[in-house]
Amino acid sequence: MAKIQLNGKKISIKSNFSLQDLLKKYKLINKKVAIEHNGQIIPKINYKKKYLKNDDRVEIVHFIGGG
Amino acid sequence: MFILLGVVNLKKDSFKVAGKLLKSRLIVGTGKYKNFSETAKAIKASGADMVTVAVRRVNILDKKKPILTDYLNPKKITYLPNTAGCFNSEDALRTLRLAREMGGWKLVKLEVLGDKKTLYPNMIETIKSTEVLVKEGFKVMVYCTDDPLLAKKLEDCGAAAIMPLASPIGSGLGLQNKVNISLIIKQSKVPVIVDAGIGTASDATIAMELGCDGVLINSAIANAKKPILMAKSFKDAVISGRNSYLAGRMQKKYFATPSSPIKGLI
């Protein structure tokens, strides 16, 4: 178990949980989002090998309507 | 001879931003609509082939919430990621770097705001951000004030397009400084797109008649009573204004000149 902050909210995840697992958990499609991990933008090819640990801060963003 | 030249001009009248050919000189925003279905219908009616989009956190609490890309296919319409809501260079850069990671977007719209009440651009932070983004390989369309000197500075920094405001964002006040917009149009070698403040279709026609390369509209369409009809109205207004600019208006005179010949008067 690990506690991380996702989009400003505290959540619990299993240990050995990757960014790709996180996307799967929230039914998000890899191609339609971008991820920042502890302030660093993570290239899509690294989602599978980037594992999460306690107190990590993750931001998942996508496009919404805007002017 | 003149007529012939006019026809040639119309045929060659293409609109390119950073090497990208656009069919429509109307760029539309995708914010403030009732729902995504209305957004998609309005954009279709507008004829725009480029739309602005914002970058925001995914709603992790509602997994079934519809998303913009389900309604507007980024493969069919050019997404122009913006930095709306950013009040400093750091946030704007972060947003556009994330947008690039999302799908390889290099053509972006930069706006760095300076004041919550007027949403007036902070030009110091805007220039700073433009320099960094250009160095990182972005093609930057830049929202800016209507100051010709600062517009020139942005062009010198490598901006792909200059986007001066007509009046404050979402105000609907229309073109408040035609002289400055004209000065910017005359001096710029990159496209000039009037952004923000356009209130109704005739405002867009006036902007196009001044000779600007395009207009960007969001609130005037989304906040209309019938957004889809207003989108169509803007499409026509932009085409009309452009044709009017290319045709060259008649000269203004203080006194009347009769339209019917005097000769043969009974």
Side-chain angles (χ1 to χ4, degrees):
Chain A
M1 280 280 281
K3 279 185 180 166
I4 64 159
Q5 195 165 319
L6 172 61
N7 288 0
K9 290 182 180 67
K10 280 186 181 136
I11 63 154
S12 295
I13 48 161
K14 290 177 202 161
S15 41
N16 292 323
F17 214 64
S18 71
L19 285 178
Q20 189 62 46
D21 295 329
L22 193 64
L23 289 181
K24 209 174 156 191
K25 179 178 160 78
Y26 289 98
K27 295 188 168 59
L28 294 168
I29 301 161
N30 183 316
K31 279 182 190 166
K32 292 184 174 179
V33 298
I35 305 181
E36 203 184 66
H37 177 250
N38 295 334
Q40 292 276 322
I41 295 170
I42 307 298
K44 287 184 194 297
I45 46 161
N46 294 343
Y47 288 176
K48 276 182 189 160
K49 53 185 174 189
K50 194 77 178 174
Y51 288 96
L52 295 163
K53 53 185 189 315
N54 237 352
D55 298 328
D56 275 358
R57 283 172 296 110
V58 178
E59 293 282 347
I60 305 179
V61 299
H62 67 165
F63 286 133
I64 65 148
Chain B
M1 187 61 193
F2 282 113
I3 295 163
L4 192 68
L5 275 174
V7 171
V8 172
N9 272 345
L10 277 177
K11 273 188 183 165
K12 278 189 179 170
D13 186 39
S14 58
F15 176 36
K16 263 188 189 177
V17 182
K20 185 166 186 64
L21 193 66
L22 294 172
K23 276 183 263 158
S24 174
R25 290 176 179 273
L26 171 61
I27 301 170
V28 292
T30 55
K32 297 185 180 174
Y33 287 94
K34 203 167 63 195
N35 51 48
F36 286 137
S37 164
E38 189 185 69
T39 313
K41 281 180 193 157
I43 283 154
K44 197 169 178 217
S46 77
D49 42 6
M50 181 184 267
V51 296
T52 58
V53 292
V55 177
R56 291 290 182 273
R57 281 173 166 170
V58 166
N59 183 348
I60 51 166
L61 297 176
D62 187 358
K63 293 177 196 172
K64 282 181 188 149
K65 214 178 169 197
I67 57 169
L68 184 70
T69 44
D70 294 340
Y71 290 81
L72 286 174
N73 187 346
K75 286 191 181 117
K76 289 187 180 157
I77 198 152
T78 303
Y79 270 36
L80 182 67
N82 71 18
T83 60
C86 293
F87 280 83
N88 58 60
S89 179
E90 198 186 328
D91 288 348
L93 296 174
R94 182 185 181 200
T95 301
L96 293 178
R97 286 168 184 151
L98 278 165
R100 179 167 62 178
E101 183 51 39
M102 208 148 3
W105 278 271
K106 284 202 167 176
L107 184 60
V108 294
K109 181 190 155 189
L110 172 71
E111 61 177 78
V112 188
L113 306 173
D115 175 52
K116 289 218 162 86
K117 214 166 181 180
T118 60
L119 297 181
Y120 217 65
N122 177 334
M123 290 306 293
I124 297 159
E125 292 286 299
T126 300
I127 291 166
K128 214 164 81 181
S129 311
T130 305
E131 285 171 338
V132 176
L133 290 166
V134 168
K135 264 187 208 150
E136 290 182 15
F138 282 95
K139 310 279 181 202
V140 203
M141 298 169 70
V142 193
Y143 171 60
C144 59
T145 56
D146 59 11
D147 179 331
L149 288 181
L150 294 174
K152 180 73 173 56
K153 173 76 184 159
L154 286 175
E155 189 174 343
D156 293 344
C157 290
I162 308 293
M163 305 177 85
L165 50 80
S167 47
I169 295 172
S171 70
L173 289 169
L175 275 172
Q176 289 297 312
N177 199 338
K178 285 200 266 183
V179 177
N180 275 22
I181 300 286
S182 292
L183 287 171
I184 294 171
I185 292 165
K186 282 186 175 70
Q187 75 180 15
S188 301
K189 290 182 184 70
V190 294
V192 176
I193 296 156
V194 168
D195 184 2
I198 298 278
T200 191
S202 55
D203 294 338
T205 305
I206 292 168
M208 294 308 293
E209 281 180 337
L210 291 179
C212 74
D213 296 276
V215 291
L216 197 160
I217 316 288
N218 193 156
S219 306
I221 297 175
N223 289 349
K225 286 198 182 80
K226 294 179 181 174
I228 298 154
L229 184 58
M230 190 55 97
K232 167 80 170 72
S233 173
F234 267 101
K235 177 187 179 178
D236 297 338
V238 168
I239 293 170
S240 194
R242 181 65 185 175
N243 284 341
S244 174
Y245 166 73
L246 292 174
R249 63 156 297 145
M250 66 168 284
Q251 271 195 330
K252 286 180 184 176
K253 283 171 284 193
Y254 282 100
F255 296 102
T257 313
S259 301
S260 308
I262 303 292
K263 202 186 164 194
L265 195 69
I266 50 166

Short mmCIF file of all heavy atoms in Angstrom, two decimals, chain B residues 151-179:
data_model
loop_
_atom_site.label_atom_id
_atom_site.label_comp_id
_atom_site.label_asym_id
_atom_site.label_seq_id
_atom_site.Cartn_x
_atom_site.Cartn_y
_atom_site.Cartn_z
N ALA B 151 3.76 44.26 -29.97
CA ALA B 151 3.44 43.28 -31.01
C ALA B 151 4.68 43.01 -31.86
O ALA B 151 4.98 41.87 -32.22
CB ALA B 151 2.29 43.79 -31.88
N LYS B 152 5.41 44.08 -32.16
CA LYS B 152 6.65 43.95 -32.95
C LYS B 152 7.68 43.14 -32.16
O LYS B 152 8.37 42.28 -32.71
CB LYS B 152 7.18 45.36 -33.27
CG LYS B 152 8.46 45.40 -34.08
CD LYS B 152 8.18 45.00 -35.52
CE LYS B 152 9.38 45.17 -36.45
NZ LYS B 152 10.57 44.47 -36.07
N LYS B 153 7.75 43.41 -30.87
CA LYS B 153 8.69 42.69 -30.00
C LYS B 153 8.39 41.19 -30.04
O LYS B 153 9.30 40.36 -30.13
CB LYS B 153 8.57 43.26 -28.57
CG LYS B 153 9.35 42.52 -27.51
CD LYS B 153 10.83 42.82 -27.56
CE LYS B 153 11.60 41.98 -26.54
NZ LYS B 153 13.01 41.86 -26.88
N LEU B 154 7.10 40.84 -29.98
CA LEU B 154 6.71 39.42 -30.03
C LEU B 154 7.12 38.79 -31.36
O LEU B 154 7.60 37.66 -31.40
CB LEU B 154 5.19 39.28 -29.84
CG LEU B 154 4.66 39.50 -28.43
CD1 LEU B 154 3.15 39.46 -28.43
CD2 LEU B 154 5.21 38.45 -27.47
N GLU B 155 6.92 39.53 -32.44
CA GLU B 155 7.29 39.02 -33.75
C GLU B 155 8.81 38.78 -33.79
O GLU B 155 9.26 37.75 -34.28
CB GLU B 155 6.84 39.99 -34.84
CG GLU B 155 7.01 39.39 -36.22
CD GLU B 155 6.45 40.27 -37.33
OE1 GLU B 155 5.65 41.18 -37.06
OE2 GLU B 155 6.82 40.02 -38.48
N ASP B 156 9.55 39.73 -33.26
CA ASP B 156 11.02 39.60 -33.23
C ASP B 156 11.45 38.39 -32.39
O ASP B 156 12.50 37.80 -32.62
CB ASP B 156 11.67 40.87 -32.68
CG ASP B 156 11.50 42.05 -33.63
OD1 ASP B 156 11.15 41.82 -34.81
OD2 ASP B 156 11.69 43.20 -33.19
N CYS B 157 10.66 38.06 -31.38
CA CYS B 157 10.97 36.89 -30.52
C CYS B 157 10.65 35.57 -31.22
O CYS B 157 10.94 34.50 -30.70
CB CYS B 157 10.16 36.93 -29.23
SG CYS B 157 10.64 38.21 -28.12
N GLY B 158 9.96 35.65 -32.36
CA GLY B 158 9.65 34.43 -33.11
C GLY B 158 8.22 33.94 -33.00
O GLY B 158 7.94 32.78 -33.31
N ALA B 159 7.29 34.81 -32.57
CA ALA B 159 5.88 34.41 -32.50
C ALA B 159 5.38 34.00 -33.89
O ALA B 159 5.74 34.62 -34.88
CB ALA B 159 5.04 35.57 -31.96
N ALA B 160 4.55 32.96 -33.93
CA ALA B 160 4.01 32.46 -35.21
C ALA B 160 2.81 33.28 -35.65
O ALA B 160 2.47 33.33 -36.83
CB ALA B 160 3.61 31.00 -35.07
N ALA B 161 2.14 33.91 -34.70
CA ALA B 161 1.02 34.79 -35.00
C ALA B 161 0.85 35.77 -33.85
O ALA B 161 1.13 35.44 -32.70
CB ALA B 161 -0.27 33.99 -35.22
N ILE B 162 0.38 36.97 -34.19
CA ILE B 162 0.12 38.00 -33.18
C ILE B 162 -1.38 38.06 -32.98
O ILE B 162 -2.14 38.15 -33.94
CB ILE B 162 0.61 39.39 -33.69
CG1 ILE B 162 2.07 39.33 -34.17
CG2 ILE B 162 0.40 40.48 -32.66
CD1 ILE B 162 3.08 39.07 -33.10
N MET B 163 -1.81 37.97 -31.72
CA MET B 163 -3.25 37.95 -31.45
C MET B 163 -3.68 39.07 -30.50
O MET B 163 -3.92 38.82 -29.31
CB MET B 163 -3.63 36.58 -30.88
CG MET B 163 -3.19 35.43 -31.79
SD MET B 163 -3.56 33.82 -31.11
CE MET B 163 -5.25 33.62 -31.63
N PRO B 164 -3.80 40.27 -31.04
CA PRO B 164 -4.19 41.37 -30.16
C PRO B 164 -5.67 41.30 -29.78
O PRO B 164 -6.49 40.79 -30.53
CB PRO B 164 -3.92 42.61 -31.02
CG PRO B 164 -3.99 42.14 -32.42
CD PRO B 164 -3.58 40.69 -32.42
N LEU B 165 -5.97 41.81 -28.60
CA LEU B 165 -7.36 41.79 -28.14
C LEU B 165 -8.13 42.93 -28.79
O LEU B 165 -7.59 44.01 -29.06
CB LEU B 165 -7.43 41.89 -26.62
CG LEU B 165 -6.66 42.97 -25.87
CD1 LEU B 165 -7.38 44.31 -25.90
CD2 LEU B 165 -6.49 42.55 -24.42
N ALA B 166 -9.42 42.68 -29.06
CA ALA B 166 -10.30 43.73 -29.55
C ALA B 166 -10.78 44.54 -28.35
O ALA B 166 -10.89 45.76 -28.39
CB ALA B 166 -11.49 43.11 -30.29
N SER B 167 -11.04 43.82 -27.26
CA SER B 167 -11.44 44.38 -25.96
C SER B 167 -11.32 43.21 -24.97
O SER B 167 -11.02 42.09 -25.38
CB SER B 167 -12.86 44.95 -26.03
OG SER B 167 -13.74 44.05 -26.65
N PRO B 168 -11.55 43.43 -23.65
CA PRO B 168 -11.32 42.33 -22.70
C PRO B 168 -12.05 41.01 -23.04
O PRO B 168 -13.17 41.05 -23.58
CB PRO B 168 -11.80 42.91 -21.38
CG PRO B 168 -11.57 44.37 -21.51
CD PRO B 168 -11.89 44.68 -22.95
N ILE B 169 -11.42 39.91 -22.69
CA ILE B 169 -11.95 38.57 -22.92
C ILE B 169 -13.39 38.46 -22.40
O ILE B 169 -13.67 38.83 -21.26
CB ILE B 169 -11.08 37.50 -22.19
CG1 ILE B 169 -9.67 37.46 -22.79
CG2 ILE B 169 -11.73 36.11 -22.24
CD1 ILE B 169 -8.68 36.58 -22.03
N GLY B 170 -14.28 37.97 -23.24
CA GLY B 170 -15.66 37.73 -22.82
C GLY B 170 -16.49 38.98 -22.60
O GLY B 170 -17.62 38.88 -22.12
N SER B 171 -15.96 40.16 -22.96
CA SER B 171 -16.70 41.40 -22.70
C SER B 171 -17.72 41.69 -23.80
O SER B 171 -18.73 42.37 -23.56
CB SER B 171 -15.74 42.59 -22.57
OG SER B 171 -15.16 42.90 -23.83
N GLY B 172 -17.46 41.23 -25.01
CA GLY B 172 -18.37 41.50 -26.12
C GLY B 172 -18.40 42.96 -26.54
O GLY B 172 -19.34 43.41 -27.19
N LEU B 173 -17.37 43.72 -26.16
CA LEU B 173 -17.35 45.16 -26.46
C LEU B 173 -16.89 45.48 -27.89
O LEU B 173 -16.92 46.64 -28.30
CB LEU B 173 -16.44 45.90 -25.45
CG LEU B 173 -16.98 46.01 -24.03
CD1 LEU B 173 -15.91 46.51 -23.08
CD2 LEU B 173 -18.19 46.93 -23.99
N GLY B 174 -16.44 44.49 -28.60
CA GLY B 174 -16.01 44.72 -29.99
C GLY B 174 -14.68 45.44 -30.08
O GLY B 174 -13.98 45.63 -29.08
N LEU B 175 -14.34 45.87 -31.30
CA LEU B 175 -13.04 46.54 -31.54
C LEU B 175 -13.03 47.93 -30.92
O LEU B 175 -13.74 48.81 -31.37
CB LEU B 175 -12.82 46.67 -33.04
CG LEU B 175 -12.21 45.50 -33.79
CD1 LEU B 175 -12.26 45.76 -35.27
CD2 LEU B 175 -10.77 45.27 -33.36
N GLN B 176 -12.21 48.10 -29.92
CA GLN B 176 -12.15 49.39 -29.23
C GLN B 176 -11.04 50.29 -29.75
O GLN B 176 -11.03 51.48 -29.49
CB GLN B 176 -11.99 49.16 -27.71
CG GLN B 176 -13.22 48.61 -27.05
CD GLN B 176 -14.39 49.57 -27.14
OE1 GLN B 176 -14.27 50.75 -26.86
NE2 GLN B 176 -15.55 49.06 -27.57
N ASN B 177 -10.06 49.72 -30.44
CA ASN B 177 -8.96 50.55 -30.94
C ASN B 177 -8.56 50.10 -32.34
O ASN B 177 -7.56 49.42 -32.54
CB ASN B 177 -7.78 50.49 -29.97
CG ASN B 177 -6.83 51.66 -30.17
OD1 ASN B 177 -6.81 52.28 -31.24
ND2 ASN B 177 -6.05 51.96 -29.16
N LYS B 178 -9.37 50.54 -33.30
CA LYS B 178 -9.14 50.14 -34.69
C LYS B 178 -7.81 50.66 -35.21
O LYS B 178 -7.16 50.01 -36.03
CB LYS B 178 -10.28 50.70 -35.56
CG LYS B 178 -11.58 49.94 -35.41
CD LYS B 178 -12.48 50.19 -36.60
CE LYS B 178 -13.45 51.30 -36.33
NZ LYS B 178 -14.38 51.54 -37.43
N VAL B 179 -7.41 51.83 -34.73
CA VAL B 179 -6.16 52.43 -35.21
C VAL B 179 -4.97 51.54 -34.82
O VAL B 179 -4.12 51.21 -35.66
CB VAL B 179 -5.98 53.87 -34.65
CG1 VAL B 179 -4.65 54.46 -35.08
CG2 VAL B 179 -7.13 54.75 -35.11
#
